[in-house]
Amino acid sequence: MREPVEVCVSACEAYEYEKVRAVLAEQFRLLKADEVIRPGMRVAVKPNLVTRSTPDESAVTHPVVICAVVSLLKEMGASVVIAESPGGPYTPSLLKGIYEQSGCAQAEQYGAELNLDCTWGELKAPEARLCRSFSVITPLLEADAIVDVCKLKTHCMMGMSAAVKNLFGSVPGLMKPELHCRFPEKEPFGTMIADLCQALHPVLSVVDAVTAMEGNGPTGGQPRHVGALLASRSPYAVDLACTTIIGMDPESVYPLRSAMDRGLCPRTADDLVWLCEPASQFAVADFLQPESKSADFITRLPKFLQPLAARLATPSPKIRTAECIGCGKCAESCPQHTITIRNRKAVIDYTNCIRCYCCHEMCPKHVIDIRRLSLFRH
Ligand code: SF4
Ligand code: SF4
């Protein structure tokens, strides 16, 4: 079946509930959302709640956007469950803490159930290029439909995190590092994410780009006002629109490139159909790219030069030791088990480091920098 290419991009200057709901209601109407959400359906809303973080840090989907989506789905006659597996262990207590801190707990007042069932099952991916089976959290497996409600962010490993990358949060807790180990290189990891997205097949994707994250996302960057909400029936089309907004080459967003290679998405945003405004109207000219972007040229070098160039140019995680509190979250999330806590400080053994930046992503104090050799700095 052909993937839709219609995308809605609309102005939304602030997180005011009535305004956000009105914008999304119009986008849902234009996208004919009632063709995919029908009365009586069990719908799982998949927000981005990557880590314990407040909405003003811009690492998580803003609760006003989640609440507005829940309210619209309820109005369409669906029952709604919020389903997310953040980084770290997948436990009810961690989920409760994250629902509270992110503000997502407010979705209960709009009729959503906050999932606390920390079981999972197997999802087959028959169309996959690389990974034909995934462990996926139960509420997403059991839902009649999935609505992806993500945040627009840069991503040190994948380039950008929006609708497609958000679905990596369907893999339960500490099984995510296992996938990093199986697919340590950026390109296969992106292919695996596209496999997962294709298997989960969200029927609607909403992107919170009122305030995005620029720089070293998905948790260590800075908030950047964009003033837009996006929606599409295709997670690939909406991600392609997002690359226009943040000035990123779509080919350098690994999951998106894999989606383009398998014909799920046009190669250029010029081939999308804009149902509201074109994404170019919201383009932020000086949107800060992640530090890791500079290493992307490696994949274009001759194969024999790539290992050496990668060693020299791929940035490494560096801990600002004086500020480290020794909490161990980085060690817990490291797929290579290459971080130890000594004298209440984290220490990285670089011999086995695959530069996945999970430690950077999960550090609650943001004291892990992404640094490249001075030769490769701007
Ligand atoms: S997660 Fe951050 S603060 Fe905690 S031990 Fe690691 S580097 Fe230190
Ligand atoms: S030290 Fe950090 S970047 Fe290196 S493998 Fe571990 S989590 Fe990934």
Side-chain angles (χ1 to χ4, degrees):
M1 199 175 71
R2 185 187 75 90
E3 273 289 325
V5 290
E6 293 81 13
V7 179
C8 292
V9 192
S10 312
C12 186
E13 284 299 316
Y15 291 111
E16 290 161 14
Y17 177 76
E18 292 303 337
K19 170 72 179 165
V20 169
R21 192 183 187 284
V23 168
L24 291 176
E26 176 61 3
Q27 294 186 339
F28 280 25
R29 188 187 70 75
L30 291 166
L31 292 166
K32 299 189 174 73
D34 57 356
E35 289 179 355
V36 287
I37 305 289
R38 286 183 292 280
M41 269 187 165
R42 175 79 162 162
V43 176
V45 165
K46 167 66 183 76
N48 187 326
L49 305 177
V50 56
T51 187
R52 208 180 256 261
S53 180
T54 56
D56 53 312
E57 291 172 283
S58 280
V60 294
T61 312
H62 199 282
V64 162
V65 178
I66 299 171
C67 291
V69 170
V70 168
S71 161
L72 290 165
L73 295 172
K74 293 292 288 182
E75 192 175 81
M76 295 164 86
S79 66
V80 182
V81 59
I82 303 288
E84 166 71 312
S85 168
Y90 186 44
T91 63
S93 62
L94 189 103
L95 279 177
K96 272 185 206 163
I98 287 183
Y99 289 145
E100 285 301 329
Q101 192 148 359
S102 66
C104 180
Q106 295 163 34
E108 250 182 336
Q109 293 162 26
Y110 293 83
E113 177 193 328
L114 303 175
N115 175 59
L116 293 174
D117 168 8
C118 291
T119 61
W120 61 83
E122 188 190 9
L123 175 71
K124 295 275 185 208
E127 296 168 291
R129 294 267 169 108
L130 211 51
C131 192
R132 293 192 173 271
S133 167
F134 290 91
S135 294
V136 162
I137 60 173
T138 301
L140 290 171
L141 276 182
E142 291 184 343
D144 298 313
I146 295 171
V147 176
D148 185 341
V149 187
C150 65
K151 185 80 169 175
L152 175 55
K153 300 186 283 184
T154 47
H155 193 283
C156 284
M157 188 186 183
M158 289 292 95
M160 181 185 80
S161 174
V164 182
K165 175 65 180 63
N166 183 37
L167 296 177
F168 191 46
S170 66
V171 175
L174 296 174
M175 288 188 177
K176 294 186 195 75
E178 286 178 21
L179 285 169
H180 275 285
C181 276
R182 273 179 71 191
F183 307 106
E185 304 293 332
K186 291 177 179 182
E187 189 141 6
F189 192 83
T191 303
M192 179 273 294
I193 297 284
D195 287 342
L196 178 60
C197 184
Q198 207 174 358
L200 285 166
H201 187 63
V203 296
L204 277 175
S205 296
V206 173
V207 184
D208 166 11
V210 177
T211 305
M213 176 176 276
E214 66 178 1
N216 288 330
T219 59
Q222 303 86 43
R224 182 70 189 262
H225 181 73
V226 174
L229 287 168
L230 297 88
S232 176
R233 281 167 63 167
S234 162
Y236 318 105
V238 83
D239 274 17
L240 184 56
C242 287
T243 62
T244 298
I245 292 176
I246 68 172
M248 196 173 274
D249 176 3
E251 297 279 345
S252 71
V253 178
Y254 293 86
L256 190 55
R257 184 158 88 195
S258 180
M260 291 175 192
D261 289 346
R262 52 185 100 179
L264 296 170
C265 176
R267 291 212 168 258
T268 159
D270 294 342
D271 293 334
L272 296 174
V273 174
W274 308 111
L275 299 182
C276 302
E277 308 296 333
S280 55
Q281 194 154 313
F282 298 90
V284 180
D286 57 349
F287 201 90
L288 273 184
Q289 306 294 308
E291 289 278 328
S292 50
K293 274 307 259 173
S294 62
D296 282 348
F297 73 93
I298 293 166
T299 54
R300 295 190 284 275
L301 291 175
K303 281 264 182 259
F304 75 96
L305 281 177
Q306 289 186 11
L308 177 64
R311 189 127 47 97
L312 291 172
T314 304
S316 299
K318 290 274 185 308
I319 298 169
R320 300 199 303 276
T321 303
E323 297 164 68
C324 168
I325 58 167
C327 68
K329 298 275 183 213
C330 53
E332 185 181 270
S333 64
C334 174
Q336 296 293 91
H337 307 292
T338 199
I339 305 177
T340 47
I341 306 297
R342 290 184 220 152
N343 301 322
R344 303 185 63 192
K345 299 288 179 189
V347 179
I348 299 175
D349 173 355
Y350 289 96
T351 324
N352 294 320
C353 175
I354 56 173
R355 275 77 175 171
C356 65
Y357 314 123
C358 291
C359 50
H360 164 82
E361 191 173 325
M362 295 318 297
C363 174
K365 295 289 167 192
H366 305 302
V367 300
I368 305 184
D369 296 329
I370 308 280
R371 288 209 205 128
R372 56 191 119 105
L373 285 177
S374 53
L375 180 65
F376 292 98
R377 288 191 198 129
H378 296 302

